Amino acid sequence: MSHDHDHTDPPSDLELRVKALESLLLEKGLVKQDALNAIIETYEHQVGPKNGAHVVAKAWSDLSFKQALLADATATVADLGYVGRQGEHLTVVENTSDIHNLVVCTLCSCYPWTLLGLPPVWYKSAPYRARAVSEPRAVLSEFGTVLPEHTDIRVWDSTSEMRYLVLPERPAGTGGWRESQLQALVTRNSMIGVELLRHREEVK
Amino acid sequence: MSLFPDQPAENGEPVFKEPWEAQAFSLVIALHESGVFSWDEWSDALAQAIRRDLHPGGGEEVVQRVSEAVAEDAGEDVGEEAGKKTSERMAEKEDRPDSYYQHWLAALEHLAIAKGLSGAGELAQRVQAWREAYLATPHGQPVELACGQRSV
Protein backbone atom coordinates (compact mmCIF):
# COMPACT_ATOMS: atom_id res chain seq x y z
CA MET A 1 0.00 0.00 0.00
CA SER A 2 1.26 3.43 -0.90
CA HIS A 3 1.98 6.00 1.79
CA ASP A 4 2.15 8.82 -0.71
CA HIS A 5 0.03 11.63 0.75
CA ASP A 6 -0.99 13.57 -2.37
CA HIS A 7 -3.59 11.00 -3.37
CA THR A 8 -5.91 8.41 -1.88
CA ASP A 9 -5.71 4.80 -3.01
CA PRO A 10 -8.97 3.96 -4.81
CA PRO A 11 -10.98 1.10 -3.33
CA SER A 12 -11.69 -2.14 -5.19
CA ASP A 13 -13.52 -2.21 -8.54
CA LEU A 14 -16.60 -3.58 -6.79
CA GLU A 15 -16.69 -0.66 -4.34
CA LEU A 16 -16.19 1.83 -7.17
CA ARG A 17 -19.03 0.25 -9.14
CA VAL A 18 -21.41 0.50 -6.18
CA LYS A 19 -20.37 4.10 -5.54
CA ALA A 20 -20.90 4.93 -9.21
CA LEU A 21 -24.37 3.44 -9.31
CA GLU A 22 -25.40 4.88 -5.95
CA SER A 23 -24.22 8.40 -6.79
CA LEU A 24 -26.01 8.35 -10.17
CA LEU A 25 -29.28 7.07 -8.70
CA LEU A 26 -29.12 9.66 -5.88
CA GLU A 27 -28.51 12.51 -8.33
CA LYS A 28 -31.40 11.43 -10.49
CA GLY A 29 -33.64 11.29 -7.44
CA LEU A 30 -34.39 7.58 -8.01
CA VAL A 31 -33.30 6.71 -4.48
CA LYS A 32 -33.10 8.85 -1.35
CA GLN A 33 -30.13 8.89 1.00
CA ASP A 34 -32.43 8.66 4.04
CA ALA A 35 -34.10 5.54 2.71
CA LEU A 36 -30.74 3.88 2.00
CA ASN A 37 -29.50 4.78 5.49
CA ALA A 38 -32.62 3.35 7.06
CA ILE A 39 -32.21 0.04 5.23
CA ILE A 40 -28.55 -0.23 6.15
CA GLU A 41 -29.22 0.72 9.76
CA THR A 42 -31.48 -2.29 10.06
CA TYR A 43 -28.58 -4.55 9.18
CA GLU A 44 -25.57 -2.82 10.63
CA HIS A 45 -25.64 -5.00 13.73
CA GLN A 46 -25.60 -8.13 11.61
CA VAL A 47 -22.11 -7.76 10.25
CA GLY A 48 -19.01 -7.16 12.15
CA PRO A 49 -19.58 -6.28 15.81
CA LYS A 50 -19.35 -10.00 16.54
CA ASN A 51 -15.79 -10.03 15.20
CA GLY A 52 -14.82 -7.13 17.43
CA ALA A 53 -16.58 -8.74 20.39
CA HIS A 54 -14.61 -11.91 19.75
CA VAL A 55 -11.34 -9.94 19.92
CA VAL A 56 -12.39 -8.12 23.11
CA ALA A 57 -13.59 -11.26 24.91
CA LYS A 58 -10.39 -13.06 23.97
CA ALA A 59 -8.31 -10.16 25.29
CA TRP A 60 -10.20 -10.29 28.62
CA SER A 61 -9.68 -14.06 28.86
CA ASP A 62 -6.11 -14.42 27.65
CA LEU A 63 -3.43 -12.09 29.01
CA SER A 64 -0.76 -12.94 26.44
CA PHE A 65 -3.26 -12.33 23.62
CA LYS A 66 -4.15 -8.97 25.17
CA GLN A 67 -0.49 -7.97 25.40
CA ALA A 68 0.07 -8.94 21.76
CA LEU A 69 -3.10 -7.07 20.76
CA LEU A 70 -2.03 -3.84 22.44
CA ALA A 71 1.50 -4.14 21.03
CA ASP A 72 0.53 -4.97 17.41
CA ALA A 73 -3.20 -5.11 16.81
CA THR A 74 -2.96 -5.43 13.02
CA ALA A 75 -0.93 -8.67 13.16
CA THR A 76 -2.77 -10.06 16.18
CA VAL A 77 -6.26 -9.75 14.69
CA ALA A 78 -4.93 -10.99 11.32
CA ASP A 79 -4.05 -14.25 13.11
CA LEU A 80 -7.77 -14.58 13.86
CA GLY A 81 -8.57 -14.01 10.18
CA TYR A 82 -9.64 -10.36 10.46
CA VAL A 83 -7.80 -8.48 7.74
CA GLY A 84 -8.84 -5.13 6.28
CA ARG A 85 -9.06 -5.40 2.50
CA GLN A 86 -7.31 -2.09 1.89
CA GLY A 87 -4.41 -3.03 4.13
CA GLU A 88 -5.25 -0.45 6.78
CA HIS A 89 -3.58 -0.74 10.16
CA LEU A 90 -5.33 -1.21 13.48
CA THR A 91 -4.54 0.13 16.93
CA VAL A 92 -6.36 -1.15 20.01
CA VAL A 93 -6.66 1.34 22.87
CA GLU A 94 -7.47 0.07 26.36
CA ASN A 95 -9.95 1.66 28.76
CA THR A 96 -8.94 1.61 32.42
CA SER A 97 -10.40 3.13 35.58
CA ASP A 98 -8.49 6.33 34.77
CA ILE A 99 -8.53 6.45 30.98
CA HIS A 100 -11.46 6.42 28.58
CA ASN A 101 -10.91 6.18 24.83
CA LEU A 102 -13.25 7.49 22.15
CA VAL A 103 -12.94 6.91 18.39
CA VAL A 104 -13.99 9.30 15.65
CA CYS A 105 -13.11 10.02 12.04
CA THR A 106 -13.18 13.80 11.81
CA LEU A 107 -12.71 13.92 8.03
CA CYS A 108 -14.98 11.22 6.73
CA SER A 109 -16.07 7.89 8.16
CA CYS A 110 -13.01 5.65 8.43
CA TYR A 111 -14.04 2.77 10.62
CA PRO A 112 -12.62 -0.66 11.53
CA TRP A 113 -15.41 -2.38 9.64
CA THR A 114 -13.65 -5.74 9.51
CA LEU A 115 -14.24 -5.85 13.25
CA LEU A 116 -17.33 -3.67 13.68
CA GLY A 117 -19.31 -3.99 10.47
CA LEU A 118 -21.06 -1.01 8.94
CA PRO A 119 -20.54 2.35 10.62
CA PRO A 120 -23.69 3.63 12.33
CA VAL A 121 -25.27 6.69 10.74
CA TRP A 122 -24.41 8.92 13.73
CA TYR A 123 -20.71 8.01 13.38
CA LYS A 124 -20.76 9.50 9.88
CA SER A 125 -22.70 12.61 10.91
CA ALA A 126 -21.05 16.02 10.89
CA PRO A 127 -22.03 16.85 14.54
CA TYR A 128 -20.41 13.70 15.93
CA ARG A 129 -17.30 14.20 13.85
CA ALA A 130 -16.89 17.79 15.02
CA ARG A 131 -18.02 17.51 18.63
CA ALA A 132 -16.26 14.25 19.57
CA VAL A 133 -13.04 16.24 19.52
CA SER A 134 -14.21 19.61 20.85
CA GLU A 135 -16.53 18.39 23.62
CA PRO A 136 -16.17 14.65 24.14
CA ARG A 137 -17.79 14.72 27.61
CA ALA A 138 -20.96 16.28 26.26
CA VAL A 139 -21.08 13.78 23.38
CA LEU A 140 -20.57 10.87 25.78
CA SER A 141 -23.34 12.09 28.09
CA GLU A 142 -25.72 12.11 25.12
CA PHE A 143 -25.01 8.39 24.81
CA GLY A 144 -25.81 8.07 28.53
CA THR A 145 -22.15 7.71 29.42
CA VAL A 146 -21.19 9.94 32.35
CA LEU A 147 -17.59 9.62 33.47
CA PRO A 148 -15.98 10.79 36.71
CA GLU A 149 -14.31 14.21 36.56
CA HIS A 150 -10.84 12.71 36.98
CA THR A 151 -11.15 10.35 34.00
CA ASP A 152 -8.73 11.21 31.23
CA ILE A 153 -10.67 11.12 27.93
CA ARG A 154 -8.56 10.37 24.87
CA VAL A 155 -10.03 10.92 21.42
CA TRP A 156 -8.55 8.98 18.50
CA ASP A 157 -9.00 10.34 14.98
CA SER A 158 -9.14 7.54 12.39
CA THR A 159 -7.63 7.81 8.94
CA SER A 160 -7.76 5.56 5.92
CA GLU A 161 -4.42 4.15 7.07
CA MET A 162 -5.09 3.75 10.79
CA ARG A 163 -8.27 2.52 12.46
CA TYR A 164 -8.90 2.27 16.18
CA LEU A 165 -10.77 -0.20 18.36
CA VAL A 166 -11.52 0.45 22.02
CA LEU A 167 -10.88 -2.41 24.44
CA PRO A 168 -13.59 -1.72 27.04
CA GLU A 169 -13.14 -2.53 30.72
CA ARG A 170 -14.31 -5.99 31.64
CA PRO A 171 -17.55 -5.59 33.62
CA ALA A 172 -17.43 -6.43 37.31
CA GLY A 173 -19.06 -9.68 38.32
CA THR A 174 -17.95 -11.63 35.26
CA GLY A 175 -15.09 -13.56 36.90
CA GLY A 176 -15.04 -17.15 35.69
CA TRP A 177 -17.19 -16.46 32.65
CA ARG A 178 -16.33 -18.32 29.47
CA GLU A 179 -15.12 -16.38 26.43
CA SER A 180 -18.41 -17.02 24.60
CA GLN A 181 -20.40 -15.61 27.54
CA LEU A 182 -18.16 -12.54 27.68
CA GLN A 183 -18.49 -12.03 23.94
CA ALA A 184 -22.26 -11.63 24.28
CA LEU A 185 -21.72 -8.68 26.64
CA VAL A 186 -19.62 -6.62 24.25
CA THR A 187 -21.54 -3.99 22.29
CA ARG A 188 -20.54 -2.16 19.14
CA ASN A 189 -20.83 1.21 20.89
CA SER A 190 -18.48 0.12 23.67
CA MET A 191 -15.83 -0.64 21.05
CA ILE A 192 -16.22 2.84 19.54
CA GLY A 193 -15.97 4.19 23.08
CA VAL A 194 -19.36 5.85 23.45
CA GLU A 195 -20.67 3.52 26.14
CA LEU A 196 -19.47 1.53 29.13
CA LEU A 197 -20.28 -2.12 29.59
CA ARG A 198 -22.33 -3.38 32.44
CA HIS A 199 -22.92 -6.87 33.65
CA ARG A 200 -26.47 -7.42 32.51
CA GLU A 201 -28.56 -10.03 34.24
CA GLU A 202 -30.19 -11.20 31.04
CA VAL A 203 -26.87 -12.28 29.51
CA LYS A 204 -26.07 -15.67 30.90
CA MET B 1 -37.23 -9.65 4.37
CA SER B 2 -37.43 -12.20 1.55
CA LEU B 3 -34.27 -14.17 1.17
CA PHE B 4 -32.93 -15.85 -1.93
CA PRO B 5 -31.33 -19.29 -1.97
CA ASP B 6 -27.63 -19.04 -1.02
CA GLN B 7 -27.95 -15.46 0.24
CA PRO B 8 -25.55 -15.16 3.18
CA ALA B 9 -27.82 -15.04 6.23
CA GLU B 10 -27.92 -15.60 9.94
CA ASN B 11 -31.15 -16.14 11.86
CA GLY B 12 -33.03 -15.42 8.65
CA GLU B 13 -31.48 -11.96 8.23
CA PRO B 14 -29.03 -11.01 5.49
CA VAL B 15 -25.42 -10.63 6.59
CA PHE B 16 -22.71 -8.67 4.84
CA LYS B 17 -18.99 -9.15 4.80
CA GLU B 18 -18.17 -5.68 3.57
CA PRO B 19 -19.95 -2.31 3.48
CA TRP B 20 -20.27 -2.28 -0.32
CA GLU B 21 -22.38 -5.43 -0.10
CA ALA B 22 -24.83 -3.68 2.19
CA GLN B 23 -24.81 -0.62 -0.09
CA ALA B 24 -25.68 -2.77 -3.10
CA PHE B 25 -28.35 -4.52 -1.03
CA SER B 26 -29.92 -1.25 0.13
CA LEU B 27 -30.08 0.11 -3.44
CA VAL B 28 -32.07 -2.90 -4.60
CA ILE B 29 -34.46 -2.73 -1.64
CA ALA B 30 -34.97 1.04 -2.12
CA LEU B 31 -35.59 0.76 -5.88
CA HIS B 32 -38.00 -2.10 -5.31
CA GLU B 33 -39.84 -0.23 -2.55
CA SER B 34 -40.30 2.80 -4.79
CA GLY B 35 -41.78 0.55 -7.48
CA VAL B 36 -38.99 0.71 -10.06
CA PHE B 37 -39.04 -3.07 -10.39
CA SER B 38 -41.00 -5.94 -8.93
CA TRP B 39 -39.44 -8.60 -6.77
CA ASP B 40 -39.99 -11.14 -9.56
CA GLU B 41 -38.08 -8.94 -11.99
CA TRP B 42 -35.28 -8.72 -9.46
CA SER B 43 -35.21 -12.51 -8.95
CA ASP B 44 -34.93 -12.98 -12.71
CA ALA B 45 -32.15 -10.42 -13.01
CA LEU B 46 -30.22 -12.08 -10.19
CA ALA B 47 -30.67 -15.56 -11.66
CA GLN B 48 -29.46 -14.27 -15.03
CA ALA B 49 -26.40 -12.65 -13.48
CA ILE B 50 -25.48 -15.97 -11.86
CA ARG B 51 -26.06 -17.78 -15.15
CA ARG B 52 -23.92 -15.27 -17.08
CA ASP B 53 -21.14 -15.87 -14.60
CA LEU B 54 -21.36 -19.64 -14.96
CA HIS B 55 -21.68 -19.53 -18.75
CA PRO B 56 -19.86 -16.41 -19.91
CA GLY B 57 -20.53 -15.51 -23.53
CA GLY B 58 -24.14 -16.66 -23.48
CA GLY B 59 -26.61 -13.81 -23.67
CA GLU B 60 -26.00 -10.08 -23.78
CA GLU B 61 -23.00 -8.82 -21.89
CA VAL B 62 -23.97 -5.34 -20.79
CA VAL B 63 -21.95 -5.55 -17.61
CA GLN B 64 -19.00 -6.91 -19.54
CA ARG B 65 -19.31 -3.90 -21.81
CA VAL B 66 -19.28 -1.59 -18.80
CA SER B 67 -16.03 -3.12 -17.54
CA GLU B 68 -14.48 -2.90 -20.99
CA ALA B 69 -15.52 0.72 -21.39
CA VAL B 70 -13.92 1.44 -18.03
CA ALA B 71 -10.68 -0.21 -19.18
CA GLU B 72 -10.74 1.80 -22.41
CA ASP B 73 -11.38 5.02 -20.51
CA ALA B 74 -8.29 4.35 -18.43
CA GLY B 75 -6.33 4.88 -21.65
CA GLU B 76 -2.66 4.04 -21.12
CA ASP B 77 -3.58 0.93 -19.22
CA VAL B 78 -4.81 -0.97 -22.28
CA GLY B 79 -2.50 -3.74 -23.45
CA GLU B 80 -0.27 -5.77 -21.21
CA GLU B 81 -1.30 -3.95 -18.06
CA ALA B 82 -5.01 -4.42 -18.77
CA GLY B 83 -4.40 -8.10 -19.49
CA LYS B 84 -2.65 -8.48 -16.18
CA LYS B 85 -5.49 -6.76 -14.37
CA THR B 86 -7.99 -9.16 -15.88
CA SER B 87 -6.00 -12.18 -14.76
CA GLU B 88 -5.65 -10.66 -11.28
CA ARG B 89 -9.37 -10.13 -11.18
CA MET B 90 -9.93 -13.74 -12.19
CA ALA B 91 -7.59 -14.90 -9.44
CA GLU B 92 -9.39 -12.71 -6.94
CA LYS B 93 -12.68 -14.22 -8.02
CA GLU B 94 -11.39 -17.75 -7.52
CA ASP B 95 -10.08 -16.78 -4.09
CA ARG B 96 -13.52 -15.60 -3.03
CA PRO B 97 -16.09 -18.35 -3.25
CA ASP B 98 -18.65 -15.99 -1.73
CA SER B 99 -19.49 -14.23 -4.95
CA TYR B 100 -23.12 -13.74 -3.98
CA TYR B 101 -23.05 -9.94 -3.85
CA GLN B 102 -20.86 -9.72 -6.92
CA HIS B 103 -23.76 -11.32 -8.78
CA TRP B 104 -26.13 -9.03 -6.92
CA LEU B 105 -24.23 -5.96 -8.12
CA ALA B 106 -23.98 -7.25 -11.69
CA ALA B 107 -27.75 -7.89 -11.70
CA LEU B 108 -28.41 -4.41 -10.34
CA GLU B 109 -26.24 -2.78 -13.03
CA HIS B 110 -28.01 -4.84 -15.65
CA LEU B 111 -31.48 -3.97 -14.45
CA ALA B 112 -30.64 -0.27 -13.99
CA ILE B 113 -29.50 -0.12 -17.62
CA ALA B 114 -32.44 -2.21 -18.90
CA LYS B 115 -34.89 0.07 -17.04
CA GLY B 116 -33.22 3.17 -18.46
CA LEU B 117 -32.16 4.44 -15.02
CA SER B 118 -28.65 4.85 -16.32
CA GLY B 119 -26.82 4.38 -19.60
CA ALA B 120 -24.02 1.80 -19.77
CA GLY B 121 -21.56 4.46 -20.87
CA GLU B 122 -22.71 6.88 -18.19
CA LEU B 123 -22.16 4.22 -15.55
CA ALA B 124 -18.71 3.33 -16.86
CA GLN B 125 -17.74 7.02 -16.92
CA ARG B 126 -18.91 7.42 -13.36
CA VAL B 127 -16.78 4.48 -12.16
CA GLN B 128 -13.78 6.12 -13.78
CA ALA B 129 -14.71 9.53 -12.32
CA TRP B 130 -14.70 8.05 -8.82
CA ARG B 131 -11.37 6.34 -9.43
CA GLU B 132 -9.88 9.65 -10.57
CA ALA B 133 -11.45 11.47 -7.63
CA TYR B 134 -9.62 9.11 -5.25
CA LEU B 135 -6.34 9.56 -7.08
CA ALA B 136 -6.71 13.36 -7.09
CA THR B 137 -7.67 13.68 -3.42
CA PRO B 138 -4.88 14.29 -0.92
CA HIS B 139 -4.62 11.50 1.57
CA GLY B 140 -6.93 11.89 4.57
CA GLN B 141 -9.32 14.28 2.82
CA PRO B 142 -12.89 13.23 2.07
CA VAL B 143 -13.18 12.02 -1.51
CA GLU B 144 -15.71 13.90 -3.61
CA LEU B 145 -16.47 13.97 -7.29
CA ALA B 146 -15.25 17.03 -9.13
CA CYS B 147 -18.20 19.22 -10.23
CA GLY B 148 -17.43 18.78 -13.92
CA GLN B 149 -17.79 15.02 -13.56
CA ARG B 150 -21.32 15.08 -12.25
CA SER B 151 -24.10 14.53 -14.72
CA VAL B 152 -26.33 17.54 -15.28
Side-chain angles (χ1 to χ4, degrees):
Chain A
M1 162 159 183
S2 165
H3 289 261
D4 190 350
H5 279 239
D6 58 8
H7 77 277
T8 306
D9 290 323
S12 72
D13 283 1
L14 289 162
E15 287 163 80
L16 287 172
R17 279 164 59 196
V18 173
K19 276 181 100 71
L21 199 52
E22 185 186 66
S23 60
L24 279 172
L25 295 174
L26 283 168
E27 272 167 40
K28 296 180 181 196
L30 293 159
V31 292
K32 297 265 178 288
Q33 189 68 62
D34 288 355
L36 297 178
N37 287 347
I39 294 162
I40 287 180
E41 215 165 336
T42 312
Y43 296 103
E44 66 198 16
H45 291 274
Q46 300 288 331
V47 204
K50 289 194 193 95
N51 297 346
H54 175 203
V55 170
V56 167
K58 196 169 170 61
W60 286 342
S61 315
D62 177 344
L63 185 61
S64 65
F65 176 83
K66 176 174 150 183
Q67 286 164 342
L69 185 69
L70 294 173
D72 184 351
T74 312
T76 308
V77 302
D79 287 343
L80 297 178
Y82 305 136
V83 182
R85 275 197 63 197
Q86 288 171 260
E88 63 272 12
H89 293 272
L90 179 74
T91 296
V92 171
V93 287
E94 184 185 17
N95 283 353
T96 66
S97 51
D98 300 321
I99 298 169
H100 184 87
N101 295 285
L102 177 67
V103 180
V104 64
C105 177
T106 53
L107 287 169
C108 41
S109 56
C110 295
Y111 189 70
W113 55 260
T114 318
L115 295 169
L116 295 186
L118 309 171
V121 171
W122 56 258
Y123 185 85
K124 298 185 276 188
S125 73
Y128 178 76
R129 283 155 47 194
R131 295 179 56 229
V133 176
S134 63
E135 41 174 349
R137 268 181 198 276
V139 169
L140 285 170
S141 70
E142 283 161 34
F143 282 92
T145 302
V146 180
L147 296 168
E149 276 301 311
H150 65 81
T151 304
D152 177 12
I153 300 178
R154 299 183 181 173
V155 181
W156 301 88
D157 192 0
S158 316
T159 67
S160 59
E161 282 178 1
M162 182 62 78
R163 314 286 162 97
Y164 298 91
L165 184 83
V166 174
L167 176 58
E169 275 192 281
R170 180 172 175 160
T174 58
W177 284 32
R178 288 194 313 274
E179 201 180 300
S180 59
Q181 294 173 297
L182 291 169
Q183 195 172 328
L185 281 177
V186 184
T187 63
R188 179 196 66 196
N189 285 3
S190 72
M191 294 182 278
I192 302 175
V194 293
E195 79 186 17
L196 301 173
L197 292 177
R198 273 180 292 272
H199 168 195
R200 287 169 299 178
E201 278 307 314
E202 67 267 30
V203 185
K204 285 277 158 65
Chain B
M1 187 63 58
S2 347
L3 285 179
F4 292 100
D6 303 327
Q7 181 164 20
E10 219 173 272
N11 304 323
E13 297 283 358
V15 290
F16 308 100
K17 283 186 61 184
E18 297 178 22
W20 73 264
E21 297 183 344
Q23 255 177 304
F25 177 82
S26 69
L27 285 170
V28 169
I29 304 300
L31 288 169
H32 164 64
E33 284 177 354
S34 59
V36 174
F37 47 71
S38 71
W39 209 239
D40 281 349
E41 281 179 291
W42 172 248
S43 305
D44 286 348
L46 186 57
Q48 279 170 29
I50 293 167
R51 233 180 356 257
R52 275 195 306 274
D53 193 41
L54 294 176
H55 308 286
E60 43 166 351
E61 293 292 326
V62 177
V63 173
Q64 185 62 33
R65 287 211 302 277
V66 172
S67 326
E68 280 165 11
V70 171
E72 277 165 28
D73 263 12
E76 319 95 62
D77 279 347
V78 191
E80 205 177 308
E81 183 64 15
K84 192 176 111 226
K85 276 187 186 156
T86 308
S87 64
E88 279 172 6
R89 266 202 295 273
M90 302 274 280
E92 186 184 359
K93 197 163 150 188
E94 279 166 28
D95 285 342
R96 289 170 53 88
D98 48 343
S99 52
Y100 188 83
Y101 282 102
Q102 297 185 23
H103 294 141
W104 185 282
L105 175 59
L108 175 57
E109 287 171 336
H110 224 77
L111 204 51
I113 292 164
K115 289 275 176 186
L117 309 183
S118 166
E122 183 183 28
L123 195 50
Q125 277 167 15
R126 180 54 66 94
V127 172
Q128 190 57 24
W130 272 113
R131 192 190 311 278
E132 283 163 10
Y134 273 88
L135 292 172
T137 303
H139 192 85
Q141 302 282 317
V143 176
E144 277 167 16
L145 285 178
C147 295
Q149 288 167 332
R150 287 186 181 272
S151 59
V152 234

